[in-house]
Amino acid sequence: MENRVYNFAAGPSMLADDVLIRMKEELFNYKDTGMSVMEMSHRSKIYLKIFEETKDTLRRVMDIPEDYEILFMHGGATGQFAAIGLNILKGNKADYVITGNFSKKAAQEAAKYGEVHIAYDGKDNNYSHIPLQDELGLSPDARYVHICANNTIFGTEWKSFPDVKGKILIADMSSDILSKKVNVKDFGMIYAGAQKNMGIAGIAVVIIHKSLISEALADTPAVLSYELMQKNDSMYNTPATYPIYVLGKVLEWIEEIGGLEEMERRNRAKAAVLYDYLDSQAFYRPHAEKDSRSLMNVTFTTPDPELDVLFASEAAKQGLVNLKGHRLVGGLRASIYNAMPLAGAEKLVSFMRDFAKENDK
Ligand code: PMP
């Protein structure tokens, strides 16, 4: 693995070396078939084995009970913003908690298909805060409560999930799924775009309680219907075969290192390297409030937007790439998903120290 950089991109993002090595080994000739997984029919016996094993491994790694369906769908997490409206909201009312850009988009999309009540909106604190229970204005007649578990752009994350008073909880976990243990039973549905902790772009993974799957609104496109996807085991049409295979490789790697418990331990250690440094100095300013900090996306600014630009370009020269913050927040963002090794966070902090020394006037 020569000439590899530490890639702090928010997604698509780094893959673990062990995963890439296996993809490479199997690229030209998967298990003596004489072809790559990308060239196989999704109906072939060999591919169906990959498909089923990937689902089984996901069930094991996340401890997903049998009364939950696993669906691989098209359209990314954004497709799910609409699918939830079409399959679950269906003219009813739902509560949406707005903690960033993606939860806002989820609410806007769902509002096309029913009544969306905003139970909280963090715009006044520029989404630096995850609401406490008493800040949520939940409605008694909501069919479900929707949250975004980790806010990729702003760098905030729910530490514990809200008490939704017996309602169905739906979470967009695009940027923190597989980073730690979660109790799937606490959710009616969990969904994620795969291009961060689950591999590469091309699938949305949906983990949904079977009782929530029923006939979608009449005009629902077939590829967004949970009922059709369930009936056809996510093969109503050609699924994104290679991203599903990569997810399988990522899950194998997670199991080998010790599962989500070990993954979480590593992620906490990595994030602590960055946050401990940020808390020990005055040059950089972290964006997220302490209690709301994300383990996956660390957001901060230097004293001057021009220095932010210089920081990102100087860091890149040292093999620390994609540190520019999202255009909505500015500043800098280090995305330290599962695949980022501790050494990457340590090298970044070392660079930060040097940069602060040189530019603190
Ligand atoms: N939700 C979150 C938390 C995200 O980070 C993203 C993408 N970065 C999305 C939703 C949108 O995902 P997609 O691009 O797969 O539609």
Side-chain angles (χ1 to χ4, degrees):
M1 286 288 169
E2 285 164 30
N3 304 324
R4 297 270 297 161
V5 292
Y6 289 119
N7 178 7
F8 292 92
S13 45
M14 261 182 103
L15 290 169
D17 285 357
D18 284 349
V19 170
L20 283 170
I21 289 168
R22 266 171 242 181
M23 286 161 65
K24 185 181 173 200
E25 281 169 1
E26 294 176 341
L27 186 64
F28 279 86
N29 186 2
Y30 180 81
K31 292 201 196 303
D32 289 329
T33 55
M35 65 177 89
S36 77
V37 173
M38 281 179 271
E39 300 163 294
M40 286 173 187
S41 161
H42 58 293
R43 308 269 181 212
S44 62
K45 221 169 139 187
I46 186 112
Y47 185 76
L48 288 176
K49 187 158 184 283
I50 295 172
F51 185 88
E52 288 309 324
E53 276 177 9
T54 301
K55 279 209 302 187
D56 290 348
T57 318
L58 181 62
R59 209 174 271 286
R60 237 178 7 253
V61 167
M62 285 186 70
D63 198 14
I64 301 170
E66 285 302 323
D67 50 354
Y68 284 75
E69 197 70 59
I70 297 170
L71 304 174
F72 299 126
M73 297 187 65
H74 301 282
T78 305
Q80 292 309 307
F81 298 166
I84 293 165
L86 290 158
N87 289 274
I88 306 178
L89 184 58
K90 294 192 282 198
N92 293 297
K93 181 174 177 183
D95 285 337
Y96 275 71
V97 182
I98 312 296
T99 50
N101 186 52
F102 292 110
S103 40
K104 193 157 139 199
K105 283 186 164 170
Q108 284 167 345
E109 195 70 359
K112 297 175 183 171
Y113 310 108
E115 187 186 341
V116 163
H117 169 252
I118 304 299
Y120 171 86
D121 190 335
K123 64 175 180 301
D124 292 343
N125 54 61
N126 196 20
Y127 303 110
S128 60
H129 170 75
I130 293 292
L132 304 171
Q133 188 69 34
D134 62 8
E135 293 175 278
L136 298 175
L138 301 177
S139 15
D141 52 346
R143 173 136 166 71
Y144 61 85
V145 179
H146 181 281
I147 62 165
C148 180
N150 183 78
N151 300 284
T152 323
I153 293 176
F154 296 92
T156 60
E157 184 174 17
W158 293 77
K159 304 289 162 207
S160 59
F161 295 107
D163 175 3
V164 289
K165 317 280 178 208
K167 295 263 157 43
I168 297 160
L169 180 59
I170 298 181
D172 172 1
M173 291 196 188
S174 292
S175 51
D176 67 350
I177 198 160
L178 299 178
S179 67
K180 59 186 176 186
K181 273 190 155 175
V182 294
N183 192 358
V184 174
K185 286 199 198 85
D186 292 344
F187 300 86
M189 173 176 159
I190 291 170
Y191 66 101
Q195 61 272 26
K196 303 158 201 300
N197 277 340
M198 291 190 132
I200 60 173
I203 41 166
V205 178
V206 173
I207 300 160
I208 181 170
H209 195 272
K210 289 178 180 167
S211 65
L212 289 180
I213 303 179
S214 61
E215 204 177 333
L217 284 179
D219 293 338
T220 301
V223 291
L224 289 182
S225 160
Y226 295 152
E227 201 182 32
L228 269 183
M229 280 295 170
Q230 180 189 35
K231 267 191 196 140
N232 294 279
D233 199 8
S234 301
M235 292 206 189
Y236 178 77
N237 68 328
T238 315
T241 51
Y242 201 70
I244 293 168
Y245 157 82
V246 177
L247 170 59
K249 294 285 136 196
V250 168
L251 290 165
E252 256 173 46
W253 168 68
I254 292 176
E255 275 202 316
E256 279 166 19
I257 65 155
L260 292 185
E261 226 161 273
E262 172 60 13
M263 202 75 255
E264 177 170 354
R265 191 197 64 73
R266 291 185 186 192
N267 285 330
R268 288 195 182 282
K270 228 169 11 184
V273 167
L274 278 157
Y275 288 123
D276 287 352
Y277 170 65
L278 283 170
D279 288 340
S280 72
Q281 53 78 55
F283 180 76
Y284 303 99
R285 203 168 58 82
H287 176 73
E289 286 178 11
K290 261 191 189 176
D291 292 343
S292 304
R293 286 172 169 173
S294 165
L295 289 183
M296 299 281 101
N297 312 96
V298 181
T299 45
F300 55 95
T301 50
T302 70
D304 174 352
E306 280 181 20
L307 275 182
D308 291 340
V309 175
L310 183 68
F311 180 103
S313 65
E314 290 296 312
K317 288 181 194 157
Q318 300 200 19
L320 304 161
V321 307
N322 290 320
L323 283 157
K324 186 173 175 288
H326 190 277
R327 59 188 185 281
L328 286 177
V329 205
L332 299 150
R333 169 177 54 175
S335 295
I336 47 171
Y337 297 118
N338 286 354
M340 175 62 68
L342 181 67
E346 287 169 345
K347 187 167 173 189
L348 176 57
V349 165
S350 162
F351 172 81
M352 288 169 80
R353 280 184 208 283
D354 292 346
F355 187 85
K357 222 182 277 168
E358 276 165 37
N359 294 284
D360 198 0
K361 292 185 183 103

